[in-house]
């Protein structure tokens, strides 16, 4: 029996539990914990976790992998509390939307033999919480994986396997890259959506504006409905990168303003809109290849790799080799007939 | 037999034809024209129009209502060409996304007995063209109606009826209000989405950014995939209002920037995100009441009202009164039993 612990059973933690249960790995047990009363019970009823031990420390005891899926601001206290209850070679990962602070907190809080590998599934839904958890939430999505300096090869491999089991694909990046990239394509859009909605809703003409607002306004401002706690934590833990991209966005809007007010607006706007539409269509038509883990791919399926990690990779590989020898022998014999 | 003419059979013109055919009004014939070869034939095959007369002038001849659903930039030449072919009391309307220029063009081009009533259905789809036309495109959507100074009461009522038949609700505004409101909730979001996508796709890190872009980035930048010709026409025909709102957006982002960089970021960001999320949730939960036409509602259904306009309101009202008298008489007799 191998144990995985999930701390925080909201949309992400709950969906991760459901996805792992769906992978149907022999001998896998999932323990879960949520600070909010009743959430653990609902997660158990939905089949996202098997056990709901009493308290944080009991939840992580004996766990091979611990996944922290709480709000970002709670991660430091969770790390502090679980540190001395972790098994010696436990692997700890998380699902937070920003990474530099989390990596620093983990390095400060966890004892050396424990491997921390940061994680961030790029997936979500408008409605959060365990009741909206979904086993297929991560399918086809990127999942950023950020190894800490002290993390073992085996730990990184285990987190990649975990990611593959959910149907997502691991994208290995370092924390600074992650936070800069996400600032551009996630956190800046969040700020822009919030500012755009706030500008409209703060106008004296808001009743009239709202009456004429169509699906374009809804889509462009959708991120303004992100949980305020999450938005707040993201902005504060990715402040420097966000300020950088926010400045560039203000400059970009200034350039568009100059074009619109300028004498060559007719020609230049035609070029701008045509170029951006073509680029976006190309982006939608063939999203960039994800090169996959930057290490040699094992010749095992994700499920086999997870099982390999849990039951011992050598034993599984040996079993597989033996099976292949038998199959090859059988084929040879078939060819001889 | 009464005739409606639709000029321009793209997504909007085609969907309007389908919606009107679905309303199943006795004696209604729809003539259609599109400058692009083959589009008229496809519209006829899809049942969006009945006839495809040869040329623009033949299409509007004898039409009670002419709907111009071409790109904005083509409206002046369409008005010019049809002006002398219109029946004396013809009603002309349009579906353009901006209104002040269109109202001016119509006033300059159309002879006085013709009534022009501007229109703008707030509806659309990512994919345009007759092949994506949809009879239910306008259901539950606002449709701005902008009477010209010279438009008769009857003409305004007829356009409102037309709107009601599609399942949309008419919102009466003047052209300047319309263009200012739409600049805020539609054209500014278009510019913001374009700038946001352009900023990301113009970055040297775009391959990495694209790899980590999730559904939030897609939704926030969706409007950047608007047809470049449409975006261009909107920006140029609503330049002044758009510049005003673009300046306010740049100021708003500057304020958010100051908050994020400031010493009270923690508290102030929490307030900002909580306020905007609550306002957006309220907006989604109960969209503002649409007060409906600012004139006494007739005691006829939309279908009856359109038929009334087409076959003569008096006759229909009289028929209805007679039917009601008969029903009342029957009920009285039933009560006497």
């Amino acid at each position: 029996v191998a144990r995985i612990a999930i701390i925080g059973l909201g949309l992400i933690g709950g969906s991760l539990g459901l996805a792992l249960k769906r992978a149907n790995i022999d001998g896998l047990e999932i323990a879960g914990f949520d600070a909010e009363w009743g959430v653990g019970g609902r997660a158990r009823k939905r089949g996202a976790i098997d056990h709901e031990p009493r308290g944080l420390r009991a939840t992580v005891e004996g766990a091979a992998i611990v996944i922290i899926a709480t709000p970002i601001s709670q991660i430091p206290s969770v790390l502090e509390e679980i540190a001395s209850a972790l098994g010696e070679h436990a692997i700890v990962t998380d699902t937070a939307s920003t990474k530099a602070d989390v990596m620093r907190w983990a390095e400060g809080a966890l004892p050396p033999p424990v491997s921390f590998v940061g994680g961030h599934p790029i997936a979500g839904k408008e409605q959060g919480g365990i009741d909206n958890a979904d086993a297929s939430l991560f399918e086809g999505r990127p999942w950023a994986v950020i190894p800490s300096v002290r993390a073992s090869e085996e730990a990184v491999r285990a987190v990649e396997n975990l990611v593959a089991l959910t149907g997502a694909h691991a994208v290995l990046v370092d924390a600074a890259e992650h936070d800069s990239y996400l600032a551009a394509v996630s956190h800046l859009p969040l700020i822009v959506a919030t500012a755009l909605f706030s500008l409209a809703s703060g106008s004296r003409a808001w009743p009239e504006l709202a009456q004429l607002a169509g699906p374009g306004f809804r889509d462009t401002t959708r991120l303004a409905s992100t949980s305020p706690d999450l938005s707040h934590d993201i902005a504060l833990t990715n402040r420097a990168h966000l300020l950088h991209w926010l400045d560039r966005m203000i400059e970009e809007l200034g350039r568009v303003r100059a074009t619109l007010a300028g004498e060559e607006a007719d020609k230049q706007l035609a070029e701008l809109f045509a170029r951006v539409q073509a680029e976006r269509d190309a982006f939608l038509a063939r999203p960039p290849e994800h090169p996959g883990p930057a290490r040699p791919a094992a010749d095992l399926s994700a499920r086999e790799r997870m099982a390999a990690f849990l039951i011992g990779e050598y034993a599984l590989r040996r079993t597989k080799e033996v099976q292949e020898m038998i199959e090859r022998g059988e084929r040879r014999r078939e060819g001889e007939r």
Side-chain angles (χ1 to χ4, degrees), chain A:
Chain A
V1 171
R3 176 178 275 197
I4 284 181
I6 303 177
I7 299 168
L9 300 167
L11 176 67
I12 299 295
S15 298
L16 183 51
L18 290 174
L20 293 176
K21 294 308 281 184
R22 190 180 59 171
N24 196 24
I25 295 165
D26 292 335
L28 173 66
E29 275 187 13
I30 304 181
F33 176 85
D34 196 285
E36 193 179 323
W37 193 86
V39 171
R42 296 218 296 285
R44 200 148 40 79
K45 260 188 209 135
R46 293 214 47 195
I49 62 172
D50 299 302
H51 307 292
E52 196 194 351
R54 288 196 165 239
L56 214 41
R57 294 173 60 84
T59 306
V60 304
E61 261 163 29
I65 303 183
V66 175
I67 300 145
I68 305 176
T70 64
I72 305 177
S73 58
Q74 293 173 24
I75 294 180
S77 62
V78 168
L79 286 167
E80 202 118 331
E81 193 166 345
I82 65 172
S84 63
L86 292 166
E88 202 179 337
H89 293 288
I91 297 165
V92 180
T93 186
D94 76 311
T95 62
S97 302
T98 60
K99 293 268 73 85
D101 282 4
V102 174
M103 301 306 288
R104 204 160 34 75
W105 295 334
E107 201 183 332
L110 299 177
V114 169
S115 277
F116 185 79
V117 180
H120 175 204
I122 319 286
K125 266 189 188 179
E126 276 211 71
Q127 301 297 321
I130 181 67
D131 299 327
N132 295 294
D134 177 355
S136 61
L137 187 69
F138 309 107
E139 276 172 17
R141 299 273 178 219
W143 187 312
V145 172
I146 299 94
S148 68
V149 181
R150 294 193 314 233
S152 66
E153 272 291 301
E154 188 193 31
V156 178
R157 178 82 61 86
V159 171
E160 286 174 356
N161 290 346
L162 188 81
V163 167
L165 281 171
T166 67
H169 54 269
V171 178
L172 279 153
V173 283
D174 74 29
E177 285 169 356
H178 173 277
D179 287 1
S180 173
Y181 301 160
L182 269 290
V185 293
S186 176
H187 311 157
L188 175 62
L190 167 65
I191 295 290
V192 165
T194 301
L196 190 59
F197 192 91
S198 181
L199 182 60
S201 67
S203 159
R204 263 181 304 176
W206 174 232
E208 287 78 22
L209 298 185
Q211 201 176 14
L212 293 170
F217 182 72
R218 267 173 220 211
D219 283 353
T220 317
T221 62
R222 183 176 72 77
L223 289 178
S225 287
T226 304
S227 139
D229 291 342
L230 176 57
S231 300
H232 167 270
D233 288 359
I234 285 174
L236 283 185
T237 56
N238 203 13
R239 182 150 34 168
H241 290 294
L242 193 44
L243 283 171
H244 167 81
W245 284 101
L246 195 44
D247 285 339
R248 294 188 59 183
M249 180 68 186
I250 292 170
E251 284 165 25
E252 185 79 21
L253 287 176
R255 270 192 296 276
V256 177
R257 196 220 181 273
T259 302
L260 183 60
E263 297 207 343
E264 303 207 52
D266 194 344
K267 185 168 149 282
Q268 290 177 348
L269 287 174
E271 284 167 7
L272 171 71
F273 289 123
R275 173 177 63 77
V276 175
Q277 190 220 24
E279 284 171 1
R280 189 167 186 277
D281 285 357
F283 165 67
L284 292 182
R286 31 179 179 76
E289 304 283 312
H290 48 85
R295 56 200 68 239
D299 55 347
L300 301 171
S301 74
R303 201 187 144 208
E304 285 169 335
R305 274 183 279 157
M306 193 65 193
F309 168 75
L310 293 168
I311 71 171
E313 185 153 356
Y314 174 75
L316 190 82
R317 188 177 294 276
R318 191 68 199 129
T319 307
K320 197 169 166 146
E321 279 168 9
V322 170
Q323 282 173 343
E324 282 171 357
M325 273 168 53
I326 294 170
E327 278 176 29
R328 272 199 301 276
E330 282 175 351
R331 254 182 264 123
R332 211 176 302 132
R333 276 197 298 279
E334 282 186 13
E336 283 166 4
R337 277 181 201 159

